[in-house]
Amino acid sequence: MQASEKASILANFYPNPVENNFSLDIKSKTAQKLVVRITDAGGRTMVNQSYSLHYGENFYTIQTAQWAPGIYILSYQADGGEKGIKKLVKQ
């Protein structure tokens, strides 16, 4: 996920490709809510989770052990309207 100088959040996840779980690392310039949604190639929602971010680094783990191998789309949107999208590969 990319960030600009004006971005209020910087979101990264690793590893990619993923096996059983991955870490979501979000740096936030303000306390805010962030909604993370992950869908499979067929459009089925695998994760639809709201997180309350605090200023600084925020770490979350998302379990993927039960997911089928394939390509997933991770998208996020912050309270302030900031959004991002990234491809996630499950092995």
Side-chain angles (χ1 to χ4, degrees):
M1 295 177 201
Q2 308 230 347
S4 69
E5 299 223 358
K6 294 182 181 180
S8 65
I9 60 173
L10 174 61
N12 292 300
F13 67 92
Y14 50 90
N16 191 17
V18 3
E19 289 187 23
N20 294 319
N21 60 59
F22 68 92
S23 297
L24 187 57
D25 177 6
I26 304 165
K27 294 178 183 146
S28 180
K29 291 184 179 177
T30 63
Q32 60 185 312
K33 290 197 187 265
L34 182 79
V35 175
V36 173
R37 184 173 183 206
I38 302 173
T39 55
D40 67 11
R44 185 175 60 159
T45 299
M46 307 303 289
V47 173
N48 190 17
Q49 180 71 44
S50 178
Y51 297 99
S52 294
L53 304 179
H54 58 269
Y55 171 83
E57 291 198 62
N58 300 265
F59 296 99
Y60 304 98
T61 300
I62 297 179
Q63 301 296 322
T64 61
Q66 302 300 316
W67 297 5
I71 296 175
Y72 294 82
I73 302 298
L74 182 150
S75 60
Y76 68 87
Q77 182 166 357
D79 273 350
E82 191 171 338
K83 326 176 185 184
I85 191 165
K86 185 74 174 172
K87 181 173 75 170
L88 175 70
V89 178
K90 167 70 164 93
Q91 292 185 328

